[in-house]
Amino acid sequence: MAITVTLPDEYGYVLLATVSTFFANSFHSINTGKLRKASGVKYPAAYASQEVAEKDPKAFAFNCAQRAHANFTENLTPAIGAMLIAGLKYPVLAGALGGLWSLSRVLYTIGYTKGGPQGRVKFGILSSLSLLALKLMATYTAVQIAFH
């Protein structure tokens, strides 16, 4: 059985929010690379050792940036999927929440890198809430489409 999907006129907002994640990822990559170089942590080491990070603020900042980037990539697939699905029924809200998620992830990284684990909290909450809303909207949209 074929299903025809008609995209809402405002679906472009969802696509813009999705594209914003590409640039958020680039920010993470550049930030982590810059801090890797400053800290002297050589490839293939993913992180500075605990002993080094405790004594060297540059190594500690690198570890924080690296962890923030890893956390971003862990959440990227669900975020994009939720944006694309939720946007089928709620394109403006999905686009806004997706953009908020992307921006909050950049701010999370800045806070984490400059303030350590405590520096990530406020934007971590914002990104978690926006992603949760997107996941719930995507679930509701999928149920509506499946049982329509």
Side-chain angles (χ1 to χ4, degrees):
M1 170 169 98
I3 296 175
T4 301
V5 177
T6 303
L7 298 177
D9 290 338
E10 300 89 359
Y11 201 76
Y13 296 124
V14 177
L15 297 178
L16 286 172
T18 303
V19 167
S20 76
T21 68
F22 306 162
F23 296 99
N25 188 56
S26 294
F27 168 80
H28 281 88
S29 297
I30 292 165
N31 185 55
T32 303
K34 179 182 78 171
L35 291 169
R36 176 184 286 279
K37 185 175 182 180
S39 71
V41 176
K42 304 288 185 216
Y43 284 104
Y47 294 92
S49 70
Q50 180 80 23
E51 298 78 29
V52 171
E54 287 174 352
K55 295 175 185 164
D56 182 356
K58 290 179 182 178
F60 181 75
F62 166 69
N63 282 0
C64 291
Q66 183 78 318
R67 184 63 202 122
H69 191 193
N71 187 265
F72 173 79
T73 60
E74 291 161 7
N75 286 281
L76 184 57
T77 301
I80 289 175
M83 283 182 230
L84 295 174
I85 295 166
L88 294 172
K89 292 281 185 184
Y90 309 101
V92 175
L93 185 55
L97 287 168
L100 179 63
W101 181 82
S102 191
L103 176 62
S104 68
R105 295 308 308 194
V106 169
L107 296 173
Y108 171 97
T109 298
I110 293 169
Y112 201 170
T113 302
K114 293 188 184 297
Q118 282 300 348
R120 69 193 164 104
V121 173
K122 98 175 123 174
F123 292 110
I125 291 169
L126 185 59
S127 68
S128 293
L129 290 174
S130 58
L131 183 55
L132 176 62
L134 284 164
K135 288 176 178 179
L136 292 172
M137 290 167 46
T139 300
Y140 185 73
T141 298
V143 168
Q144 282 184 318
I145 290 171
F147 297 106
H148 178 62

